[in-house]
Amino acid sequence: MEKAEKIKQLLSNQFELDLFEASLASLNDRTNKLRFNNFAYSIRELSRHFLHNLAPEERVRNCVWFSPETTDEKPTRNQRIKYAVQGGIDDTLLDGWGFDVDELKDMIRELKETINTLSKYTHINPEVFNISDAEVERMSQDVLNAFISLVETIENYREDLKQFLDGHIEEHMISSVVTNFFENVDQLAPHHSLEYTEVSKYHISEINEYEIVVDVFGDLHVILEYGSNKERREGDGLDLPETFPFETKIRYQIEEDFPSTKFEVDDYDVDTSSWYGDDEDEI
């Protein structure tokens, strides 16, 4: 089943895969008059688990835009979808940055209707009880299409938002941030000086309840300095220019301006393996 294989590629953990396989097993059990109902119920539960995995309750509740809409104060489906797409970014901020908030709200409403489509098949009544094989095939395809639409729409909008925010970041801005201490390089020489950093690639990898995370990749240009001050004055020291690739993350706080002036830079991962050469070349 082509749609089944597509769904497997969209799922994010082993439990979801096992649940989906079990739902297909229920669908294929022709001896059970409730096979379609069991299948539809399982897929609805799969959609619930998938959404909860993207938007855990505690993370949703930490968002500045969250306010309880139910008696148990748990996040609603709409709020979970909202978090899955935009994390803790408030609609007002998105609108101020130029993102189409109305279109985003329409998408959330449509996805809620998609979930309702999954739910309607779980009710046992004569119209969906012991139905023909042809009807099972047609309606099961509707259920699978609804789940695929749910997952792909969330993922596409999330990527659209990330790309939109990427457009607000300039390379020179990232380069100016990348000025921290590089621990790996310390192992190569007693002293070194940072000449400059060159950013080759960056993209937003995560939007959570508090921050927008940017992955940064580039090259670190340094001078490795050997010899004491006396030796260097006498010309016995050695300066070696070297270039090493690095990667890190910049975590911008979510606030009115993006990129925010409030940020943290993760420890750098500097790849100094080229300095030691390739082990395969050793005799």
Side-chain angles (χ1 to χ4, degrees):
M1 188 184 295
E2 183 179 340
K3 288 187 176 63
E5 291 304 314
K6 184 171 186 177
I7 287 177
K8 288 178 184 179
Q9 295 173 7
L10 295 172
L11 300 179
S12 58
N13 58 55
Q14 190 59 47
F15 172 76
E16 292 173 356
L17 285 168
D18 290 344
L19 178 55
F20 182 58
E21 291 284 3
S23 71
L24 293 179
S26 293
L27 181 65
N28 294 327
D29 183 7
R30 297 176 183 274
T31 65
N32 191 340
K33 296 179 180 180
L34 287 171
R35 69 187 182 108
F36 175 74
N37 309 84
N38 291 340
F39 166 74
Y41 173 77
S42 299
I43 296 298
R44 187 190 68 176
E45 286 300 288
L46 178 61
S47 72
R48 183 176 68 84
H49 282 286
F50 184 85
L51 193 54
H52 284 212
N53 186 48
L54 288 179
E57 178 179 339
E58 194 60 32
R59 286 183 176 268
V60 179
R61 290 171 61 88
N62 287 337
C63 294
V64 294
W65 51 256
F66 175 79
S67 61
E69 297 179 2
T70 60
T71 54
D72 61 6
E73 298 190 349
K74 291 182 178 295
T76 64
R77 287 190 191 124
N78 281 23
Q79 289 171 327
R80 289 187 188 273
I81 295 170
K82 182 185 180 76
Y83 178 86
V85 174
Q86 65 193 74
I89 306 175
D90 185 79
D91 287 348
T92 304
L93 292 184
L94 282 179
D95 187 56
W97 296 342
F99 194 77
D100 193 336
V101 174
D102 290 335
E103 182 178 312
L104 186 59
K105 290 178 179 178
D106 289 341
M107 179 275 294
I108 292 174
R109 282 193 292 268
E110 289 172 4
L111 286 187
K112 184 180 179 182
E113 290 303 312
T114 298
I115 296 174
N116 290 340
T117 297
L118 292 174
S119 298
K120 75 177 183 180
Y121 290 125
T122 64
H123 302 300
I124 302 174
N125 53 56
E127 288 75 23
V128 291
F129 177 75
N130 194 27
I131 55 181
S132 68
D133 289 347
E135 281 296 285
V136 168
E137 174 65 20
R138 181 185 65 81
M139 295 170 71
S140 64
Q141 292 298 311
D142 289 344
V143 169
L144 293 175
N145 284 334
F147 182 80
I148 291 172
S149 175
L150 171 71
V151 176
E152 288 189 337
T153 302
I154 289 175
E155 290 186 345
N156 290 340
Y157 264 84
R158 185 170 53 195
E159 287 307 308
D160 285 348
L161 178 56
K162 288 179 181 178
Q163 290 182 23
F164 172 82
L165 294 176
D166 276 341
H168 285 62
I169 305 173
E170 298 179 7
E171 184 173 328
H172 72 84
M173 181 189 306
I174 296 292
S175 296
S176 67
V177 170
V178 184
T179 55
N180 279 21
F181 181 73
F182 294 86
E183 183 176 355
N184 294 26
V185 181
D186 287 346
Q187 301 171 7
L188 303 183
H191 305 283
H192 69 272
S193 59
L194 172 62
E195 292 290 281
Y196 64 96
T197 57
E198 187 175 20
V199 174
S200 59
K201 183 171 63 174
Y202 59 88
H203 63 267
I204 292 173
S205 59
E206 180 186 355
I207 303 173
N208 59 43
E209 68 267 53
Y210 300 124
E211 59 194 11
I212 299 169
V213 183
V214 181
D215 287 355
V216 183
F217 306 85
D219 292 308
L220 173 68
H221 299 266
V222 299
I223 300 294
L224 303 180
E225 302 169 353
Y226 295 90
S228 65
N229 291 337
K230 180 175 181 296
E231 290 171 330
R232 294 169 64 79
R233 285 195 303 269
E234 295 175 352
D236 293 328
L238 179 64
D239 288 351
L240 291 179
E242 287 292 338
T243 301
F244 301 110
F246 76 90
E247 60 183 83
T248 188
K249 294 180 184 290
I250 304 176
R251 302 176 181 274
Y252 291 99
Q253 286 188 25
I254 295 175
E255 54 181 28
E256 186 173 356
D257 294 324
F258 177 76
S260 168
T261 56
K262 298 178 182 177
F263 59 83
E264 293 183 356
V265 182
D266 284 7
D267 291 339
Y268 287 84
D269 182 10
V270 182
D271 182 4
T272 56
S273 59
S274 62
W275 175 258
Y276 299 101
D278 192 336
D279 291 340
E280 295 180 358
D281 294 337
E282 295 182 1
I283 299 176

